[in-house]
């Protein structure tokens, strides 16, 4: 029997797509520079049993499976490999339970991050991880990549909120990992191991996330700087002050100009670099923290800085940060970096990025979760300019080398996918890569789960 | 060559102990009920290279290695297996680096928890995980068991603070796992996998822990209750209130009496059950939280409750909590439970424990990290009473069964070791156990690392 026919024999026929024009939309994520290939079929399962049925067919035939959320990834992790089955979770998006007393939610992987956050907010609960893709990206994809976001600097990343998972492993078994209690050490942390494994160790079919009570209102501190290095020094000063901000974001001139060109916000006439800090400690203590952050900005040489008394004005500034990426995409293909360095070395890393941009004659814009030391240099090339693309790729490698030299990592929150496989090899030793391979073989002995991602 | 002679050939001779009387002190942890066997030798390495040399000898000869911190574990995880080499880390206790700007510390595994905390405190930094064994237990042991403690309810467990590890794996390779940056998703979370793996996947030789700024002073709320169930309802009420306390501990009548009998603190004449809450939110917001906790205590039927204005008085109450375990040990062998249940089910679980105590005619005292739902029923049997021991073992199994039935786990923070292996088999599915075995084989193909612990 043909693969598609067999899939239609084990799951309802409407779940299986094989029209090439329809499939085309499922073949890649937002990493425009990463390769992708043709899929044999796309399956949109509606239950764990359907996922299991598909995995069993794939295991029998040794056909690769590429799981996929909303395709907002930036490393090629969801890109199709030749002849694969793409498993798209758009039809598995239910909230199964919100437990207010224990503060957790049980959801299917296809639910969109912002949708979960909105449902939680109605109950006085908060799901913190807030990647910039939150309006579109799914919790399943967030878990597969261990997504970060703006509030990580105070509240941690996706892994810190994943209590339990239901997973279909490479043998087609359904297993439940983790727990629903506040603590638990029964056996290995297989739940944590799945988080960030980019679909290479198991296919996530249900997720239990820890929630927090709704947080107090935030105060916003904005600062304008002449240079990214001065802004980087303000970031180091905040880190050294002992204040843990609830966000600390950097947006550079190139981003401000792109946002202005698109949305006419007038930001780039005011500043070369904008730093946006937030604190959410309640009461007088929060006021004191905001003043400390303000002082850090001023002492680092801000040309203007203020604690915002106007929530709308503050939101507009954060909108500019969120719009930076799509605004830059309008200028041409964007190659996104995601290095993370020690916080004190943010100014040094930003200075090196500027040098790299000049050395390779490449436009590099910067947005950054600066408070975490997580920088997103965005390499932009004019459409169709192949020389510029080669120069950008050389710059990309230099940035990775600099991050590793400064004690950093090649990926803070986007994942390895396809684009950072070389970076992973540079970051970790041969022994660590061998441990990766051994674990991959242990949990996916047939090698059918998202093969070729993270490492080849 | 004999094993001991070969060990003395690869590490300095003074590192290797083989005098049976000396070795005797290295054969078991504090799990008095767990089996242990004779070791062939104890090695006290002083460097990673020495650990690696020992592992290579063990690998060559297929001799088991049992790593050991201070031996304060309560599940038998550090107990010697027949003919093993015990690796004791007392001579590897250095602080290698405290980085104030990035807020991390790099230490050797043998450093005592309280010693690290004291060194951090001198620099305005705080290492949160605070198991009750903190004055004696080592960071290496804490990491191997993913130790919890009093402040977990707000600040999380050991795993949440482990940024990076140096590990000697079962092949004798030295690998560095994790990172020193705030975020990072380069490859699988092998660092997190090592945490809580109880020495079965690798031997930890260096640990990088995340630190926090020194926290604000705490406010203590004490409440006296007539019954554990009423106290359990106060715990549920605090959880539902949205306040996240920085500690919420329960001490029952049996503990209070044992502490009084030892230290004459006069607590047991005042209360049947004491609940100790703490909040550390600064300023007015913290005052409001303390009042909320107080109201929860009062509404659940506290016979007396107050926000302590006297830090010495508050510390005395927490001392009573810390002394409960050693005070009970004076009465006879203690079999320690460590179940964790959903917070709202703490009253139900406490009620079931009371019934179990009556049904098996066994003295069961309770201390609990109640705010996490992590209960420590302590089963005490008179010295030499074998019948009582059998009854206690039956009660132990019933408590495990009840915890699982209530959606809980058999171990919240002590680990599986030897005593909870049956519990693990009851808690997780066959498929999950198979994943454990596959990972164990992948990382320790010769099966020499703490064999027989966690699962057989």
């Amino acid at each position: 029997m043909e693969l598609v026919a067999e899939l239609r024999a084990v799951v309802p026929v409407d779940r299986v797509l094989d029209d090439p024009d329809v499939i085309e939309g499922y073949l890649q994520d937002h990493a425009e520079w990463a390769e992708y290939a043709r899929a044999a079929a796309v399956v949109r399962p509606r239950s764990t049993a359907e996922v299991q049925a598909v995995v069993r067919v794939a295991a029998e035939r040794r056909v690769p499976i590429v799981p996929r959320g909303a395709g907002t990834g930036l490393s090629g992790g969801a890109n199709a490999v030749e002849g694969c089955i793409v498993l798209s979770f758009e039809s598995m998006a239910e909230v199964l339970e919100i437990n207010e007393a224990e503060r957790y939610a049980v959801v299917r992987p296809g639910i969109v991050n912002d949708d979960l956050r909105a449902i939680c907010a109605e109950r006085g609960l908060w799901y913190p991880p807030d990647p910039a893709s939150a309006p579109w990206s799914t919790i399943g994809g967030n878990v597969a990549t261990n997504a970060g976001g703006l509030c990580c600097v105070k509240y941690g990343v996706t892994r810190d909120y994943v209590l339990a998972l239901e997973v279909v492993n490479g043998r087609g078994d359904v297993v439940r990992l983790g727990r629903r209690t506040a603590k638990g050490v029964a056996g290995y942390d297989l739940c944590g191991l799945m988080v960030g494994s980019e679909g290479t160790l198991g296919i996530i079919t249900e997720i239990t996330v820890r929630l927090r009570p709704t947080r107090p209102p935030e105060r916003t501190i904005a600062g304008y700087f002449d240079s990214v290095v001065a802004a980087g020094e303000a970031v180091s000063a905040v880190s050294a002050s002992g204040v843990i901000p609830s966000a600390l974001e950097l947006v550079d001139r190139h981003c401000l100009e792109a946002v202005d060109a698109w949305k006419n916000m007038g930001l780039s006439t005011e500043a070369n670099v904008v730093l946006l800090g937030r604190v959410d400690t309640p009461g007088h203590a929060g006021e004191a923290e905001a003043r400390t952050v303000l002082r850090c900005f001023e002492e680092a040489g801000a040309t203007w800085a203020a604690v915002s008394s106007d929530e709308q004005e503050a939101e507009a500034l954060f909108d500019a940060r969120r719009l930076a990426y799509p605004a830059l995409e309008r200028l041409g293909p964007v190659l996104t970096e995601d290095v993370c360095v020690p916080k004190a070395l943010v100014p040094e890393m930003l200075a090196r990025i500027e040098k790299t941009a000049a050395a390779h004659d490449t436009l590099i814009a910067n947005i950054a979760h600066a408070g975490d030391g997580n920088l997103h240099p965005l390499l932009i090339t004019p459409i169709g300019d192949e020389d510029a693309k080669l120069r950008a790729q050389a710059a990309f490698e230099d940035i990775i080398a600099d991050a590793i030299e400064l004690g950093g990592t090649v990926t803070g929150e986007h994942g390895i996918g396809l684009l950072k496989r070389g970076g992973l090899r540079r970051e970790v030793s041969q022994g660590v890569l061998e441990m990766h391979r051994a674990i991959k073989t242990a949990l996916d002995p047939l090698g059918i789960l998202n093969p070729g991602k993270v490492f080849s």
Side-chain angles (χ1 to χ4, degrees), chain A residues 283-339:
Chain A
H284 296 303
E287 274 171 39
E289 286 185 358
R291 280 196 304 273
T292 300
V293 173
L294 181 65
R295 197 175 60 242
C296 291
F297 285 12
E298 288 170 346
E299 289 178 4
T303 55
W304 174 85
V307 178
S308 177
S309 52
D310 178 344
E311 190 46 35
Q312 275 195 311
E313 179 190 82
E315 261 313 303
L317 287 166
F318 272 90
D319 279 344
R321 188 265 173 250
R322 290 187 198 98
L323 290 171
Y325 190 82
L328 288 163
E329 276 189 310
R330 296 171 70 246
L331 306 181
V334 176
L335 183 58
T336 309
E337 275 284 8
D338 176 41
V339 295

Side-chain angles (χ1 to χ4, degrees), chain A residues 85-107:
Chain A
I85 302 165
V86 172
L87 261 186
S88 179
F89 282 91
E90 62 210 81
S91 306
M92 279 177 77
E94 304 94 322
V95 173
L96 303 175
E97 182 188 357
I98 305 260
N99 191 315
E100 295 178 37
E102 305 299 319
R103 286 200 284 271
Y104 67 73
V106 185
V107 302

Side-chain angles (χ1 to χ4, degrees), chain A residues 322-402:
Chain A
R322 290 187 198 98
L323 290 171
Y325 190 82
L328 288 163
E329 276 189 310
R330 296 171 70 246
L331 306 181
V334 176
L335 183 58
T336 309
E337 275 284 8
D338 176 41
V339 295
C340 191
V341 297
K343 289 168 274 187
L345 298 179
V346 167
E348 168 70 15
M349 188 66 210
L350 289 169
R352 290 192 182 199
I353 292 167
E354 286 196 330
K355 275 186 209 155
T356 296
H360 295 283
D361 187 19
T362 296
L363 174 59
I364 305 184
N366 280 289
I367 45 178
H369 305 304
D372 283 319
N374 186 194
L375 312 183
H376 294 313
L378 304 169
L379 294 77
I380 300 131
T381 51
I383 296 166
D385 185 339
E386 287 306 309
D387 267 6
K389 213 163 167 176
L390 288 173
R391 292 197 306 274
Q393 270 163 335
F396 185 85
E397 296 302 321
D398 280 4
I399 292 171
I400 284 177
D402 278 328

Side-chain angles (χ1 to χ4, degrees), chain A residues 132-158:
Chain A
S133 62
W136 312 284
S137 66
T138 64
I139 298 295
N142 292 173
V143 171
T145 56
N146 189 21
L150 277 67
C151 74
C152 301
V153 58
K154 182 161 184 174
Y155 291 101
V157 295
T158 301

